[in-house]
Amino acid sequence: MDRPVVGIVGNSYLLNDQYPVHAGGQMNTAAISEVAGCMPLIIPADPAHVSVEELMETCDGFLLTGGRPNVHPEEYGEAATEAHGAFDRARDAIALPLVRACVERGQPFLGICRGFQEVNVAMGGTLYPEIRELPGRMNHRMPPDGTLEEKFELRHDISFTEGGVFHQLMGTPKVRTNTLHGQGIKRAGARIVIDGQAEDGTPEAIYVEGAKGFTLAVQWHPEWNAAGDPVSRPLFAAFGDAVRAWKAGGRRAPALKAV
């Protein structure tokens, strides 16, 4: 079977605090393979080894994954502080121009957590370094203790715009999701539509208005239990459909209705 290829943007890590690797979570590869129905390919997100042009010719679509390092605030005109946490400038140098190129070309991508933030920054938006410190906001961070199941437990509701893209995709105006992030959107970038918000007003679902292709991004982690979760499954299934349409159309953006 000639499955379309989805490039999964990887993260840089040190194994045993010594050995540098490019890696991606198995939950991401499973979601792309088993739910989206595409072939997952982990990308070493470093311009020393790959270029945006090469990636776009090799892959049919992209999954912008979560990751512990944050987008460097210099990318949106602010100075770094201790609250901004760790950074991965090599990933910034690949992911941000990749988003802009995909928007321009109509090539599909799905953003998750850090990937959600990358989409906003790539389109000229800004981020809060620590949203739990804002008045009226809840703590969206991953619980520090407990099992993996407890860390990815569904913890808050998200309300979508009535009749919007995510409402149509999910078939419901409200869903319940996990939450494992510290940063959040401060100012939405140009053409960024905030289509879903948490109970405290934190943006959780966005897309790029007027884009030729699939540009959905979410602040939660839908890769967890993607095959069994009623919120995750339609998101990855729709993304897979968009990637297949891109490939079948001779790598041209199809005419899309809802997404």
Side-chain angles (χ1 to χ4, degrees):
M1 180 174 63
D2 185 18
R3 294 187 294 171
V5 176
V6 169
I8 299 176
V9 177
N11 289 294
S12 297
Y13 292 100
L14 286 178
L15 290 182
N16 299 322
D17 295 322
Q18 290 182 313
Y19 186 71
V21 299
H22 287 114
Q26 292 186 18
M27 287 185 282
N28 292 309
T29 54
I32 292 301
S33 176
E34 299 170 9
V35 184
C38 301
M39 191 189 87
L41 182 67
I42 295 177
I43 294 170
D46 188 334
H49 308 303
V50 297
S51 69
V52 169
E53 293 75 17
E54 288 173 320
L55 293 175
M56 295 182 74
E57 289 305 312
T58 301
C59 303
D60 298 296
F62 298 94
L63 182 67
L64 304 163
T65 63
R68 187 168 297 278
N70 294 311
V71 177
H72 199 288
E74 285 183 359
E75 298 291 349
Y76 45 92
E78 296 184 11
T81 68
E82 186 176 344
H84 285 94
F87 305 115
D88 184 347
R89 296 315 305 269
R91 173 164 169 167
D92 292 345
I94 287 292
L96 300 180
L98 178 63
V99 167
R100 290 188 285 264
C102 285
V103 169
E104 177 66 26
R105 191 179 185 188
Q107 201 155 347
F109 63 75
L110 172 61
I112 292 174
C113 200
R114 175 189 160 115
F116 169 96
Q117 295 161 10
E118 286 171 335
V119 173
N120 185 57
V121 173
M123 301 304 291
T126 63
L127 303 172
Y128 287 113
E130 190 63 79
I131 58 174
R132 65 180 172 180
E133 296 178 354
L134 301 175
R137 299 291 184 96
M138 67 179 78
N139 182 5
H140 289 252
R141 282 191 173 275
M142 177 181 69
D145 302 310
T147 65
L148 201 59
E149 288 77 12
E150 290 168 336
K151 292 178 186 294
F152 281 88
E153 182 181 3
L154 305 183
R155 292 170 52 205
H156 67 58
D157 291 337
I158 294 173
S159 296
F160 299 129
T161 303
E162 188 72 26
V165 169
F166 279 88
H167 182 189
Q168 294 181 53
L169 177 61
M170 300 296 177
T172 178
K174 183 180 288 187
V175 298
R176 194 160 185 82
T177 71
N178 56 39
T179 181
L180 297 90
H181 64 101
Q183 298 198 319
I185 289 180
K186 180 178 182 181
R187 185 187 73 243
R191 299 170 59 190
I192 292 294
V193 176
I194 298 174
D195 204 38
Q197 295 179 315
E199 302 154 22
D200 63 354
T202 298
E204 294 275 346
I206 61 175
Y207 64 89
V208 181
E209 186 175 25
K212 302 173 186 176
F214 188 106
T215 60
L216 274 59
V218 298
Q219 185 64 88
W220 70 91
H221 283 264
E223 74 274 22
W224 172 258
N225 190 27
D229 182 76
V231 177
S232 301
R233 188 171 188 86
L235 182 60
F236 277 101
F239 176 56
D241 289 343
V243 176
R244 277 183 289 277
W246 169 264
K247 180 178 175 65
R251 300 177 70 80
R252 296 186 301 273
L256 299 178
K257 296 181 180 179
V259 293

